Amino acid sequence: QVQLVESGGGLVQTGGSLRLSCTASGRTFTIYSMAWFRQAPGKEREFVSVITWNAGSTYYADSVKGRFTISRDTAKNLVYLQMNSLEPEDTAVYYCAAATPGSGRDYWMEDRYGYWGQGTQVTVSS
């Protein structure tokens, strides 16, 4: 089992920055990749970014590429999402997710991830 806890959400002005953190505990050695998803009011949950745990390969949704950066600290079992140039459209609940080996290669599909955090609210004021 893997437990995930997000933190770092809050209220920020348009153009500002936030950094989200996700702490993994439990059987963290089984993690293949960790991802961020988000769900805005009235919208479907969507993929934001993912990082592989060993190699550190990263992928981003087109909507955030160039503004967001995902990273991880393997020694501390942490994954971060640095969010810059925030826009009102970024307002959402942000979820951390973890996938284990054998879960597939379509990193943008939420069904790939077996473990989820509780979510943290990000609100960008206009």
Side-chain angles (χ1 to χ4, degrees):
Q1 291 183 308
V2 175
Q3 295 81 44
L4 304 174
V5 179
E6 303 99 330
S7 63
L11 176 65
V12 66
Q13 189 177 12
T14 297
S17 299
L18 282 175
R19 186 162 90 156
L20 306 183
S21 299
C22 178
T23 302
S25 60
R27 297 174 64 86
T28 58
F29 54 87
T30 67
I31 295 174
Y32 175 76
S33 61
M34 295 185 67
W36 290 95
F37 287 76
R38 67 186 183 185
Q39 187 168 25
K43 298 182 66 177
E44 299 290 327
R45 186 158 57 183
E46 65 176 348
F47 168 79
V48 176
S49 185
V50 64
I51 187 167
T52 62
W53 202 246
N54 289 331
S57 301
T58 60
Y59 302 90
Y60 298 90
D62 289 341
S63 59
V64 306
K65 192 171 184 179
R67 300 188 297 120
F68 291 10
T69 302
I70 191 170
S71 61
R72 86 273 194 258
D73 185 335
T74 57
K76 297 181 179 180
N77 296 321
L78 291 172
V79 64
Y80 304 100
L81 185 67
Q82 178 67 48
M83 305 185 294
N84 299 326
S85 302
L86 284 163
E87 305 168 352
E89 292 75 19
D90 296 315
T91 295
V93 177
Y94 283 71
Y95 297 91
C96 179
T100 56
S103 58
R105 303 178 70 179
D106 296 338
Y107 53 83
W108 61 91
M109 299 289 290
E110 63 183 82
D111 288 347
R112 181 174 187 261
Y113 301 91
Y115 303 98
W116 295 82
Q118 82 286 353
T120 185
Q121 176 70 48
V122 172
T123 302
V124 184
S125 62
S126 59

